[in-house]
C-alpha cells in the first residue's frame, strides 16, 4: 500500500513538473496546441462514454460544449467588459453583474450542460441507432439556434469576445488527468460493467436485471457534463466564441478521435486526441507555398485537410476497430509490440549466422 502511494506521489510530482516547465518555456502557439490536446482528450472521453462504452450513437456533443463555453465565459467576464460587448442589446440581470473565479464557473457550466443533457436524453434515449443519432443532432442544432437568437444572453450571432484566458496547461492537464482517472474508476466498477453489457446486448442486459434507462441516462448525463467542462476550457482558451463554432463539424472531430482511438478504449482516445490535434497543425505547410531545391509548388488552400483525411482513411482501413479497439494500453502490450518488431531482424541475424557457418 505504501509503495503504491509513493509511486502515485512520484508520478504526480513528475507530471506537474513537466507541465510547469512546458508552461514557462514554450511559446504561445505550442501552448495552445498542447492545451487543445488535453481539451480534446476530455471531449473524446466524454463522447466515448456514450458511444463507445454504452453503445448509444449520439451526435449532440457540440450543443453541450456550447452551453459549457457560454456559461463559463459569461460567469468569468468582468461587468464592464460585458457592457462593452453587449452594445446591441444589454445583457440580462443578474448575468450583467456577476463575475466569479474560473473553477466555480467551469463547474456551473458543466452542471448546466448535464441538466440539459438529462432533459434531452430522457426522451431521445428511447430511440436506437441512426434514429438516436438524428435526434441528438437535431437537439444540438436547436441549442445552437437558441444561442444565435438569445441576444440578451449570448449576444446572438455577434458572439462573445474578451473572454479571460484562464485556460492553461495546469487547468487543462489537471482536469484531463482527473477525467482519465474518473473514467477508469467508472468503467471498472459495476456501473461500467452495466454500460458494456448494454452495448453488447440490450435484451440480455435487461434480462440480467440491468435498468436500461437508468444506466443510459447516467452515461448521457455524465458525458454531457464532461462536454460542458471541455467547452468551458475551450472558450477560455480561445478568448472568443460564437454560434458557428458549435456546428456539426465540431462533433465530427470528436467522433473522429474515438473512432481512430477505438470505441471503448480510454488510452486509445488519449492517443488519438494527441495524434489528430498535432497532425492537423503539422500539415498546415501544405496550404502554403512549398519551396523545394529545384521546384516551387504553389499553395493550395484545403490541401492539408485532403491529405489529413487520406491518412486517416488509410489508418481506418488497416485498423478497422481503431488503434486499440476496445482494449487498453499496458506495459505488456508495449513490450509485445517491440518484440514483434525485433523478430524479423532476429530472424535475419540467424539466417546470416547459418550461412556463415
Amino acid at each position: 500500500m505504501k509503495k503504491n502511494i509513493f509511486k502515485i506521489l512520484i508520478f504526480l510530482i513528475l507530471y506537474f513538473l513537466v507541465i510547469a516547465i512546458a508552461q514557462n518555456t514554450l511559446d504561445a502557439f505550442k501552448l495552445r496546441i498542447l492545451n487543445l490536446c488535453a481539451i480534446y482528450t476530455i471531449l473524446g472521453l466524454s463522447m466515448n462514454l456514450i458511444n463507445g462504452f454504452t453503445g448509444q450513437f449520439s451526435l449532440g456533443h457540440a450543443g453541450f460544449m456550447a452551453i459549457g463555453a457560454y456559461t463559463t465565459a459569461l460567469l468569468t467576464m468582468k461587468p464592464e467588459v460585458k457592457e462593452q460587448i453587449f452594445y446591441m442589446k444589454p445583457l440580462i440581470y443578474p448575468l450583467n453583474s456577476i463575475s466569479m473565479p474560473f473553477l466555480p464557473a467551469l463547474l456551473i457550466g458543466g452542471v448546466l450542460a448535464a441538466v440539459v443533457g438529462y432533459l434531452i436524453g430522457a426522451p431521445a434515449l428511447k430511440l436506437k441507432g441512426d434514429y438516436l443519432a438524428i435526434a441528438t443532432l437535431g437537439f444540438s442544432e436547436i441549442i445552437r439556434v437558441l444561442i444565435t437568437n438569445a441576444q440578451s444572453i449570448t449576444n446572438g450571432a455577434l458572439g462573445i469576445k474578451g473572454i479571460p484566458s484562464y485556460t492553461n496547461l495546469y487547468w487543462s492537464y489537471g482536469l484531463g488527468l482527473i477525467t482519465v482517472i474518473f473514467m477508469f474508476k467508472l468503467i471498472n466498477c459495476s456501473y461500467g460493467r452495466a454500460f458494456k453489457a448494454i452495448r453488447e446486448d440490450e435484451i440480455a442486459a435487461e434480462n440480467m436485471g440491468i435498468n436500461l434507462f437508468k444506466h443510459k441516462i447516467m452515461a448521457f448525463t455524465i458525458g454531457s457534463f464532461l462536454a460542458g467542462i471541455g467547452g468551458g476550457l475551450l472558450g477560455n482558451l480561445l478568448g472568443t466564441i460564437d454560434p458557428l463554432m458549435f456546428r456539426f463539424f465540431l462533433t465530427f472531430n470528436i467522433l473522429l478521435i474515438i473512432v481512430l482511438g477505438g470505441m471503448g478504449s480510454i488510452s486509445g482516445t488519449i492517443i488519438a486526441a494527441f495524434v489528430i490535434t498535432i497532425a492537423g497543425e503539422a500539415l498546415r505547410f501544405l496550404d502554403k507555398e512549398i519551396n523545394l531545391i529545384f521546384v516551387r509548388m504553389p499553395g493550395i488552400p484545403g490541401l492539408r485537410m485532403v491529405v489529413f483525411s487520406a491518412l486517416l482513411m488509410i489508418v481506418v482501413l488497416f485498423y478497422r476497430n481503431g488503434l486499440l479497439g476496445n482494449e487498453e494500453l499496458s506495459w505488456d502490450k508495449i513490450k509485445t509490440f517491440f518484440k514483434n518488431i525485433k523478430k524479423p531482424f532476429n530472424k535475419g541475424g540467424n539466417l546470416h549466422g547459418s550461412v556463415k557457418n
Side-chain angles (χ1 to χ4, degrees):
M1 185 67 179
K2 289 182 179 179
K3 286 183 178 180
N4 290 334
I5 294 172
F6 180 72
K7 287 178 181 178
I8 292 169
L9 287 173
I10 293 294
F11 169 76
L12 290 175
I13 291 169
L14 292 174
Y15 184 78
F16 285 104
L17 180 63
V18 171
I19 291 172
I21 293 170
Q23 182 67 44
N24 294 308
T25 56
L26 297 178
D27 57 54
F29 175 74
K30 291 176 181 176
L31 286 174
R32 174 168 289 197
I33 300 303
L34 287 176
N35 276 305
L36 286 174
C37 289
I39 292 169
Y40 275 114
T41 297
I42 295 171
L43 294 171
L45 290 174
S46 67
M47 195 175 197
N48 212 346
L49 177 61
I50 302 169
N51 291 31
F53 289 104
T54 317
Q56 308 304 304
F57 192 20
S58 170
L59 294 176
H61 245 54
F64 305 129
M65 287 177 62
I67 292 169
Y70 273 90
T71 304
T72 307
L74 290 171
L75 293 178
T76 54
M77 292 172 67
K78 294 181 179 179
E80 53 269 24
V81 178
K82 295 176 185 177
E83 190 176 351
Q84 292 175 359
I85 292 169
F86 287 80
Y87 59 87
M88 293 286 289
K89 201 168 185 180
L91 182 63
I92 62 170
Y93 179 83
L95 288 174
N96 60 348
S97 58
I98 293 177
S99 181
M100 62 174 62
F102 183 52
L103 183 58
L106 191 64
L107 291 174
I108 291 171
V111 169
L112 189 58
V115 170
V116 174
Y118 179 86
L119 295 175
I120 290 173
L125 289 172
K126 293 178 182 178
L127 303 171
K128 296 179 183 179
D130 298 340
Y131 298 103
L132 176 61
I134 293 168
T136 51
L137 178 60
F139 278 120
S140 178
E141 283 299 301
I142 289 170
I143 292 170
R144 190 178 67 83
V145 171
L146 289 174
I147 288 172
T148 305
N149 290 280
Q151 199 166 359
S152 59
I153 301 175
T154 63
N155 207 26
L158 296 174
I160 299 177
K161 299 174 180 64
I163 303 170
S165 55
Y166 286 121
T167 302
N168 53 31
L169 295 184
Y170 299 109
W171 282 113
S172 57
Y173 280 84
L175 291 172
L177 180 63
I178 291 170
T179 304
V180 170
I181 294 170
F182 170 76
M183 285 292 293
F184 270 114
K185 293 290 185 182
L186 178 64
I187 296 306
N188 292 315
C189 73
S190 59
Y191 290 110
R193 289 189 286 273
F195 294 154
K196 292 177 184 178
I198 294 170
R199 177 189 66 190
E200 298 301 328
D201 193 326
E202 288 191 11
I203 297 172
E206 191 172 22
N207 289 333
M208 290 169 64
I210 295 172
N211 188 325
L212 296 183
F213 178 77
K214 173 188 170 183
H215 288 88
K216 283 182 182 180
I217 200 69
M218 182 187 296
F220 201 83
T221 305
I222 294 172
S224 302
F225 172 79
L226 294 175
I229 295 292
L233 288 169
L234 184 64
N236 282 76
L237 173 68
L238 300 177
T240 177
I241 53 175
D242 63 78
L244 292 177
M245 279 178 56
F246 303 99
R247 290 175 293 180
F248 171 68
F249 184 73
L250 186 57
T251 301
F252 173 75
N253 284 343
I254 304 165
L255 183 64
L256 189 63
I257 288 171
I258 65 172
V259 169
L260 183 65
M263 301 280 278
S265 173
I266 296 172
S267 48
T269 301
I270 297 168
I271 294 168
F274 276 79
V275 169
I276 289 176
T277 306
I278 294 171
E281 294 298 325
L283 293 172
R284 281 191 181 275
F285 72 93
L286 294 171
D287 292 341
K288 302 175 183 178
E289 187 179 33
I290 303 172
N291 290 322
L292 301 175
I293 299 174
F294 300 107
V295 182
R296 177 175 289 182
M297 296 176 62
I300 303 174
L303 181 61
R304 172 177 68 101
M305 293 309 298
V306 172
V307 174
F308 185 56
S309 301
L311 292 173
L312 289 174
M313 285 175 64
I314 293 168
V315 173
V316 171
L317 285 172
F318 285 98
Y319 297 92
R320 294 188 179 182
N321 295 322
L323 295 174
L324 293 178
N326 57 3
E327 298 179 356
E328 300 298 340
L329 191 66
S330 63
W331 287 114
D332 292 333
K333 288 180 182 176
I334 294 172
K335 290 176 182 176
T336 305
F337 175 76
F338 282 107
K339 282 179 182 177
N340 290 334
I341 291 175
K342 289 179 181 178
K343 275 182 181 178
F345 296 100
N346 292 335
K347 285 179 181 178
N350 293 335
L351 180 62
H352 289 302
S354 62
V355 170
K356 250 183 180 181
N357 293 331

